Amino acid sequence: MRKLGFILSLLLLWTLSAAAEEPKPKFEGLLNQLLAPGPLIIGHDKLEHKDCLDCHQPAGGIPNIKCLDCHKEIRRDFDAKVRFHGLMSNKSCIDCHKDHKGRNFDSALVNQKTFDHGKTGFDLDGAHLKTDCAKCHTEKRVQKPIRQNEIRYFTTVNSCNKCHMKEDVHFFKGKFKQKECSLCHSTEKWKPAKPFDHGKETDWALVGAHTKLKCEKCHVKKSKTDVRYEWPIETKQCMSCHQDYHKNRLSPRFRNGKCDVCHSQDTWKLKL
């Protein structure tokens, strides 16, 4: 009997110790218990201990401004009318984000299969339709109290350059620096790109044998491991690419770098 009592005492002590180590669940506010349909989500739970009118209107409902006073990042999009929340400014926040459904309710759930990406101001087409959401939306909900490993969607910028910067082999300068990839490339695939009008864009038309050259023949790679090309070539004279074969063997009047006086762009052989 004594042995059994000793064992029961140990079990009781172990149970009390384990209970003391477990975090106490956040309790539901009394006013919320009396008037609301259920507990608020984690993140809003502190609001249960305040005046309901901090969020609710006296006649019922929650105006958007009450939500935006706290959710300042979304308010910036809302005011600028950009991205998903900014383009949804004619809707009420509570149309999509319900509450009073329990501490662990996901009020910001995004169904990746059914979500209409066009509502963000950026339609998905071509290869983008097959791309996993996490390839573009790389941020996590690390500042949120729950589901911190899930995707944080709404801060992604609608720009080719922001996502494809690491794949940019052009290393453009000057007026080309801010050009969007979509001016030459399609979302179906990167290659082939749209034809580049060298004469229109650079004031240096490619004719003759130059039309058959690969870009890197003139726009050399930075190194063997860095395949970005240097743009633009600073000079447009022949000898910016071609070595002076004649050197000082010609008379002074032919030493001006104007190779096309004797040569054509079709062939180096002399014009006869």
Side-chain angles (χ1 to χ4, degrees):
M1 182 64 73
R2 287 182 180 180
K3 192 174 182 179
L4 179 59
F6 178 73
I7 294 174
L8 290 175
S9 298
L10 286 177
L11 287 173
L12 178 61
L13 288 172
W14 179 83
T15 303
L16 291 174
S17 176
E21 292 176 0
E22 291 180 359
K24 294 181 179 179
K26 294 182 178 180
F27 65 92
E28 185 179 0
L30 178 60
L31 193 60
N32 197 83
Q33 292 182 45
L34 295 173
L35 300 177
L40 291 172
I41 61 171
I42 294 177
H44 287 173
D45 58 287
K46 293 180 180 179
L47 299 175
E48 289 180 352
H49 310 293
K50 296 184 177 181
D51 188 344
C52 298
L53 296 181
D54 285 348
C55 294
H56 291 272
Q57 287 181 323
I62 302 175
N64 284 349
I65 192 62
K66 295 284 189 178
C67 302
L68 297 176
D69 282 344
C70 291
H71 297 278
K72 299 186 185 301
E73 283 187 301
I74 293 178
R75 180 165 191 165
R76 285 195 288 269
D77 288 354
F78 193 90
D79 292 340
K81 298 188 183 303
V82 296
R83 293 197 285 259
F84 179 74
H85 289 98
L87 297 174
M88 295 291 106
S89 57
N90 61 331
K91 293 179 68 67
S92 296
C93 300
I94 59 173
D95 287 349
C96 299
H97 304 287
K98 305 296 184 183
D99 210 328
H100 290 290
K101 291 183 176 291
R103 291 286 189 255
N104 295 318
F105 177 70
D106 188 352
S107 66
L109 179 66
V110 175
N111 188 322
Q112 295 183 355
K113 293 182 179 180
T114 61
F115 179 73
D116 182 359
H117 208 280
K119 291 181 178 180
T120 68
F122 189 85
D123 288 313
L124 294 184
D125 55 13
H128 286 151
L129 288 171
K130 305 172 186 177
T131 303
D132 186 79
C133 300
K135 286 287 186 180
C136 296
H137 300 280
T138 56
E139 289 189 42
K140 300 290 186 180
R141 291 167 42 97
V142 293
Q143 300 298 325
K144 301 296 182 180
I146 57 173
R147 303 189 306 281
Q148 295 184 344
N149 289 324
E150 291 185 10
I151 296 173
R152 186 170 183 257
Y153 288 98
F154 62 86
T155 57
T156 303
V157 178
N158 295 342
S159 166
C160 305
N161 294 343
K162 294 296 182 182
C163 282
H164 296 285
M165 185 63 71
K166 292 181 179 179
E167 300 162 21
D168 177 20
V169 300
H170 305 299
F171 200 50
F172 284 139
K173 298 178 181 178
K175 71 173 184 176
F176 299 105
K177 188 174 183 179
Q178 301 301 325
K179 295 283 188 180
E180 275 289 355
C181 309
S182 55
L183 291 176
C184 297
H185 300 272
S186 74
T187 56
E188 295 294 335
K189 53 185 178 180
W190 277 115
K191 295 180 179 180
K194 299 174 185 176
F196 180 76
D197 190 334
H198 206 280
K200 178 181 178 181
E201 297 292 352
T202 69
D203 296 325
W204 179 253
L206 298 182
V207 298
H210 286 140
T211 62
K212 303 173 184 178
L213 294 177
K214 292 184 177 181
C215 302
E216 57 263 34
K217 281 291 185 180
C218 297
H219 302 280
V220 296
K221 297 178 180 180
K222 298 185 71 177
S223 70
K224 290 183 179 180
T225 56
D226 191 342
V227 297
R228 296 179 298 180
Y229 303 126
E230 287 284 7
W231 313 85
I233 292 176
E234 299 299 332
T235 63
K236 298 173 183 176
Q237 294 185 353
C238 302
M239 286 193 296
S240 64
C241 288
H242 300 280
Q243 292 182 352
D244 183 6
Y245 173 78
H246 302 291
K247 296 184 179 179
N248 294 327
R249 291 190 291 270
L250 297 177
S251 63
R253 70 191 184 99
F254 291 110
R255 299 177 196 170
N256 52 17
K258 296 181 180 179
C259 306
D260 55 350
V261 172
C262 297
H263 301 274
S264 75
Q265 293 193 53
D266 292 306
T267 176
W268 273 115
K269 293 182 179 180
L270 293 177
K271 298 176 183 178
L272 297 175

